[in-house]
Amino acid sequence: MNAVVLHLRRVDLFERPAVLRLPFRFGAATVTHCPQAFVRVEAEVAGRRVVGATAELMVPKWFDKSPALTHEQNFEQLRESLLLARDAYTEAPPATPHALSQQRGEDAVERSVAVGLPRLAAQFGQALLDKAVADAALRSVGLDWVGGVSAGVLGDPFSPRLTLVRPAHVQLRHTVGLADRLTAADVGADPRDGLPATLEDAIARHGLRFFKLKLSGRLDADLERLARIAAVLDGHARDWQVTLDGNETFDSAEALGTYWHALVQAPALQTLLQRTLLLEQPLARKVALDQSIAGLDIGVPVILDESDDHEEAFDRGLALGYRGISSKACKGLYRSLRNAVRVAEEPHRLLLSGEDLTCQAGLAVQQDTLLAASLGVIHIERNGHHYVDGFGVAPDAEAQAFADAHPSLYETTNGRVRLAVRDGRLALATLHVPGFASAAMPRWDSLTPIH
């Protein structure tokens, strides 16, 4: 099949507040609320009108971790990235989805950088426009994500070199934030909303086996907390495995090496380290692609996440001792495809992981999950269902529309539509529908326009 050529006629940007049921602490940041961005595009394909859509949470202190900026200033950065991307894309002549990304998306990134946004924030607008455009292109030919990408609908150079899979399930990797309670004896938030409030509760409720543990970088605190987590996992989870997230905590490779070898020497962490699958972005992005970690003797693959703000990031990281990179739709679907091609060249040495930006129920979690799972990721960090109750403040009719369209992915408990985690897994069969992973749409009139 030839790539779809579409003429983008309209781009609408919206947002909706998300209030977290539990505080999410990672690195030096604690998040209790933030907006979710929504994008709707209208395009013309062969004389027919088609609509595409996407969504993504606007998480503060991840795209730009400067302590000088407030959370609201972080939100404004992402709104500006979206507005600049909208302007760039709506100026475009007819083109394939990938050509739009390469031509207008990169132009939007450069415009954003020129006004002072860091590249990770600058990519946000491009990433969301690309997802919505891909959704429109796939809908225009009646193909699902795997079938359409494999058929070349997006016009990208990566999919011909990949064998995408159409998985029925993916294992959920549960995030344990730095403020999360581990047991009922811990002091902390308990929203009493019928959802798990502690790690013990989450394991019992969802049958979890995979976990992502946030590191603070403060050795004594991490030694104590990791030992407590290991005890909970030993007592409540079966055949468990973990990943560790450094969240750019370390300012040099030397500091990272000292920290890691202290963990290795801790008797209480021996089982946990044996069950650790990877260490994610321990070095700050300002130094991560300048300092080699090859000689640190870290016994698990170290992967990039926040440093993935340009096309050459993975190749530069590989030269410095990294062995993998994350897939996150907020960094761009073509970035994930490109990196998957590189991993496929050395599958026994390199890895592509699936990480989360607190993807919310609906478009965001469905598209991000299917993107990673179709590239062979078998366990993916999902935390939106843990930190936000179902569809949050979305209208009940919207939540029900998604539940009706994807009945195995969602369930209704205590009158709320929520992500269904069964035996530690998410069911993906209903995501293989025409378009990008969704047979439902938000209630657009319930959203606030971004101008």
Side-chain angles (χ1 to χ4, degrees), residues 104-250:
R104 300 303 179 169
E106 290 303 318
D107 180 49
V109 171
E110 294 309 318
R111 292 186 197 184
S112 296
V113 170
V115 298
L117 300 188
R119 288 195 65 88
L120 204 58
Q123 289 178 173
F124 186 75
Q126 177 191 30
L128 267 66
L129 264 292
D130 286 348
K131 287 196 293 175
V133 168
D135 185 38
L138 293 166
R139 290 177 189 274
S140 74
V141 292
L143 292 177
D144 72 317
W145 167 258
V146 173
V149 174
S150 300
V153 166
L154 304 184
D156 67 280
F158 313 116
S159 51
R161 301 161 62 187
L162 289 168
T163 301
L164 272 66
V165 297
R166 191 178 275 110
H169 297 87
V170 68
Q171 292 281 346
L172 181 144
R173 183 155 35 94
H174 176 82
T175 300
V176 184
L178 293 171
D180 285 18
R181 296 167 62 211
L182 306 183
T183 71
D186 291 339
V187 175
D190 185 357
R192 301 185 184 278
D193 53 12
L195 292 175
T198 69
L199 177 58
E200 282 184 345
D201 292 343
I203 295 170
R205 172 76 168 267
H206 300 310
L208 304 169
R209 293 181 47 235
F210 293 87
F211 304 86
K212 174 170 176 170
L213 314 181
K214 295 288 187 178
L215 303 177
S216 72
R218 294 179 292 114
L219 181 59
D220 289 344
D222 284 347
L223 287 171
E224 188 272 339
R225 184 166 175 80
L226 290 174
R228 290 191 62 222
I229 291 172
V232 171
L233 298 183
D234 271 338
H236 298 274
R238 59 183 176 83
D239 301 325
W240 56 270
Q241 293 182 293
V242 305
T243 67
L244 304 177
D245 186 4
N247 271 120
E248 302 187 79
T249 298
F250 302 93

Side-chain angles (χ1 to χ4, degrees), residues 24 82 127 135 138 160 177 289 314 350 354 366 372 382 407:
F24 184 22
L82 284 166
D135 185 38
L138 293 166
L289 296 181
F314 194 17
L350 306 181
Q366 292 172 200
R382 297 282 70 140

Side-chain angles (χ1 to χ4, degrees), residues 43 65 84 116 140 144 150 177 193-194 199 228 267 295 297 300 321 334 364 367 377 393 438:
K65 297 184 180 180
L84 289 170
S140 74
D144 72 317
S150 300
D193 53 12
L199 177 58
R228 290 191 62 222
D297 194 27
V300 300
Y334 298 113
Q367 292 175 344
V377 170
V393 300
S438 182

Side-chain angles (χ1 to χ4, degrees), residues 308-448:
D308 188 15
D309 62 5
H310 58 284
E311 287 190 355
E312 296 76 29
F314 194 17
D315 292 331
R316 286 182 59 184
L318 293 178
L320 295 171
Y322 292 89
R323 288 177 50 196
I325 199 161
S326 67
S327 172
K328 276 184 177 174
C330 66
K331 298 189 298 184
L333 62 91
Y334 298 113
R335 188 68 53 75
S336 290
L337 293 174
R338 181 186 188 277
N339 290 337
V341 168
R342 182 65 184 89
V343 169
E345 294 172 355
E346 298 183 78
H348 300 295
R349 186 175 79 88
L350 306 181
L351 63 90
L352 183 73
S353 74
E355 307 303 329
D356 199 354
L357 196 69
T358 315
C359 290
Q360 297 301 291
L363 292 173
V365 74
Q366 292 172 200
Q367 292 175 344
D368 187 81
T369 303
L370 185 57
L371 170 64
S374 71
L375 297 175
V377 170
I378 60 173
H379 58 85
I380 186 167
E381 180 202 5
R382 297 282 70 140
N383 61 51
H385 69 287
H386 175 52
Y387 292 110
V388 175
D389 183 356
F391 281 74
V393 300
D396 291 343
E398 178 179 319
Q400 192 59 51
F402 276 92
D404 291 343
H406 305 283
S408 59
L409 184 64
Y410 299 105
E411 62 185 2
T412 301
T413 56
N414 298 330
R416 300 280 296 172
V417 176
R418 294 159 169 164
L419 202 67
V421 186
R422 302 184 179 98
D423 195 26
R425 303 188 302 176
L426 299 177
L428 307 184
T430 64
L431 301 186
H432 306 300
V433 292
F436 189 5
S438 182
M441 284 283 184
R443 290 295 178 105
W444 300 108
D445 59 0
S446 71
L447 304 173
T448 301

Side-chain angles (χ1 to χ4, degrees), residues 60-77:
K61 297 302 176 215
W62 188 80
F63 295 94
D64 188 339
K65 297 184 180 180
S66 170
L69 298 177
T70 66
H71 287 197
E72 183 56 42
Q73 287 172 316
N74 285 152
F75 305 150
E76 281 299 319
Q77 289 178 312

